[in-house]
Amino acid sequence: MKNLFAHTSAPWIRYSGYEYKTADDGTLYITVSEGAEPEMYRPMQEAEQLITDAVNVGLAAMHKASEEELKESVLDFVKKYGFLGFMTALPTTADFITYESVYLPKNHFIKEESLPTEKYLSYFYPFDKLDFRKKSVESGWSVTDREGIAITMAMGNAPQAVAMELQKEYAERYDWILKEFTDLAFTFMTSFLYYLDYDTIDEQTRSLYRQGISAFGGISPTYRIALEKDSPVIVWDFHSLLVMVQMCFSFMLTDKDSDMRMCKHCKKAFVASRKGNEFCSQRCKNQFNVYKSREKKKGNKRDD
């Protein structure tokens, strides 16, 4: 996977602070905290940990963690990596600003197949609005603060909407982020259990597993060819963190050389440091052995 994505034009922005804020209709959003500073980083350099963190938030939801725990976990993820960038991930193209309307393939979040641009933007700017103007296919927006200008310039030739969703006015819904992570976790869990239980389940159950995992479908990134010193290379253009997460997760899950595992004790996802590791830490291994020993002693007492 590292070789496949060795060349990316995928810088992303994370801010120094995020917080929850409730819109007038009761929807819970995550927003950039007042006074927070932006920082540019390259998510691909942290891809394995990023994917593992996302899956573990979803696993916590599947294991019925409390709402407060889930809210804390989602916010911690955003603080660590920034927003997912739903605004450019959901439409058929990240260049949706240049079209009369926003066209959407089937997704879990917005039912309409097309929306006026202003209505679509309202999903992501529920509090502070951008200075955005649109008439037919013509549009324009202005940014006046120093940090916003710097972000826009740093995005270079990326679609206009990418720079827009990295501004401090942008917000994302908590339930959307949690849903995305839960889908990742469900896919990971299905794959793990399918092979773990393969010899003990019947064909009908196997078929249900296969049907379940087939529901997962990622969004394909765009790419281009660049001429490097020695040979042409593929340069991936990830116009949202979400697209990068989905693509990297898919390759980690299907790569035979990937060391992504589920801890035998705490049931969290982790990347094994060496082949055969069944536990995410020595602590989990020790606790598992202690519990196993206790169960064995209880069994011996019952036999007596």
Side-chain angles (χ1 to χ4, degrees), residues 69-80:
E69 289 175 316
L70 292 175
K71 286 170 63 177
E72 183 179 356
S73 295
V74 170
L75 187 60
D76 285 345
F77 180 93
V78 174
K79 287 179 178 179
K80 193 172 181 180

Side-chain angles (χ1 to χ4, degrees), residues 34-68:
E34 185 175 353
E37 298 289 332
E39 174 199 8
M40 179 177 286
Y41 78 108
R42 294 194 173 273
M44 281 304 304
Q45 296 177 358
E46 307 175 29
E48 286 188 344
Q49 188 60 53
L50 191 158
I51 302 304
T52 303
D53 288 346
V55 170
N56 280 329
V57 175
L59 287 172
M62 291 181 66
H63 295 150
K64 307 300 181 183
S66 70
E67 189 66 15
E68 287 305 311

Side-chain angles (χ1 to χ4, degrees), residues 1 5 12 41 43-44 46-47 50-55 77 81-85 180-181 184 216 218-219 221 238 240-253:
M1 189 187 78
F5 296 110
W12 199 242
Y41 78 108
M44 281 304 304
E46 307 175 29
L50 191 158
I51 302 304
T52 303
D53 288 346
V55 170
F77 180 93
Y81 303 110
F83 286 124
L84 291 181
E180 186 62 36
F181 291 165
L184 293 177
F216 177 80
I219 305 163
F238 294 110
S240 76
L241 188 65
L242 176 57
V243 173
M244 193 219 83
V245 167
Q246 291 179 340
M247 179 65 77
C248 290
F249 169 76
S250 299
F251 277 97
M252 287 177 69
L253 193 66

Side-chain angles (χ1 to χ4, degrees), residues 132-184:
F132 176 79
R133 302 165 301 282
K134 185 172 179 66
K135 184 177 181 180
S136 186
V137 296
E138 300 295 326
S139 65
W141 72 295
S142 59
V143 56
T144 56
D145 66 283
R146 176 179 55 83
E147 293 166 349
I149 293 172
I151 290 172
T152 303
M153 294 178 64
M155 290 301 103
N157 295 324
Q160 178 180 324
V162 176
M164 291 171 63
E165 72 183 347
L166 296 175
Q167 302 297 318
K168 61 185 178 182
E169 294 87 355
Y170 181 82
E172 287 189 346
R173 288 176 55 157
Y174 159 73
D175 58 333
W176 286 16
I177 299 173
L178 185 60
K179 169 62 176 171
E180 186 62 36
F181 291 165
T182 304
D183 286 349
L184 293 177

Side-chain angles (χ1 to χ4, degrees), residues 108-141:
H108 296 302
F109 310 108
I110 299 176
K111 294 181 179 179
E112 293 90 340
E113 294 182 357
S114 65
L115 286 171
T117 304
E118 289 83 354
K119 184 176 181 181
Y120 180 68
L121 292 179
S122 69
Y123 280 99
F124 306 100
Y125 301 94
F127 306 109
D128 300 319
K129 311 298 182 184
L130 290 178
D131 183 11
F132 176 79
R133 302 165 301 282
K134 185 172 179 66
K135 184 177 181 180
S136 186
V137 296
E138 300 295 326
S139 65
W141 72 295

